Amino acid sequence: NAIFSYLDHNDIDNLGLTCRWLEHEKQQFRSKANKIDLVLNRFLTVGEISGFQDIQVLTGMVVSGSVALQFFSREVYRTDLDTYCVLGKCLDVAKYYQSIRYEYRPSKDQLDHFEDDLSRIVDWRWYTENRGPYLQDNVLQVWNFDRNGSKIQLIATARSPLEAILKFHSTCVMNVITHRRAYCLFARTTFKERCTVVIDRGDRYNATGVEKYRARGFEVVDVPDVDRILN
């Protein structure tokens, strides 16, 4: 376990291929080091995690952002829990958060009651006229829920949450946790090369987001014609 803890995911997999004993040790290490509880327990009690996964099943809500990255890297960042859900299921997710004593905290441009603000977003005409800082056409609104200083963000999407994640500023945050699986799209680049490739320098470019990960030790790389390379 001491050896595995210093290796990235690719090297752990390669070491496990060398013999049956190391493959067994790899599985044992992963069962302890990559437990979802280790990243969710800053926001949820042990008893609440199963309920959180149940609401994921019912709504298709997924976890992404820094928490999903930490799940794979085994690093610890001070961060919020970013949860993405298609708009039509956001009320169910919000009610769940409120049932476990997370309180809706409106920003200055949001209405005081969650249901009222949600109703505005459902009105597509209001959204197109008041889109504000959300640069993706698939991200409709971001609501904050707080409990004793822990913050969960509920991010509403017009279409699949995965589409929003694939349009993030760069590759190191293209990770997602569902109710039963975790997916890292660029594992070698993110963990072995410690790089994040900027996807779009156009209208969707998020300089603040990119700089945050540069400060966390990632080399920021621009690739010309990145759409052609990724395809």
Side-chain angles (χ1 to χ4, degrees), residues 36-70:
I36 191 63
D37 304 38
L38 298 178
V39 291
L40 292 184
N41 62 11
R42 282 170 284 157
F43 309 94
L44 304 166
T45 67
V46 173
E48 291 168 346
I49 290 176
S50 61
F52 179 83
Q53 292 174 318
D54 288 342
I55 204 70
Q56 286 188 281
V57 173
L58 292 172
T59 65
M61 178 264 287
V62 299
V63 173
S64 192
S66 294
V67 166
L69 178 62
Q70 290 174 84

Side-chain angles (χ1 to χ4, degrees), residues 66-83:
S66 294
V67 166
L69 178 62
Q70 290 174 84
F71 175 78
F72 289 104
S73 69
R74 305 189 299 274
E75 296 174 304
V76 177
Y77 306 133
R78 185 175 179 83
T79 187
D80 309 325
L81 177 62
D82 295 342
T83 59

Side-chain angles (χ1 to χ4, degrees), residues 5-9 29 33-43 65-79 172-173 175 177 189-192 194-195 212-219:
S5 66
Y6 286 98
L7 302 178
D8 63 40
H9 289 276
F29 174 77
N34 290 114
K35 293 182 67 174
I36 191 63
D37 304 38
L38 298 178
V39 291
L40 292 184
N41 62 11
R42 282 170 284 157
F43 309 94
S66 294
V67 166
L69 178 62
Q70 290 174 84
F71 175 78
F72 289 104
S73 69
R74 305 189 299 274
E75 296 174 304
V76 177
Y77 306 133
R78 185 175 179 83
T79 187
C172 74
V173 283
N175 314 295
I177 299 173
T189 302
T190 303
F191 301 114
K192 192 173 186 67
R194 196 66 178 179
C195 291
K212 178 171 71 173
Y213 288 95
R214 191 195 301 274
R216 289 175 175 176
F218 286 91
E219 179 184 357

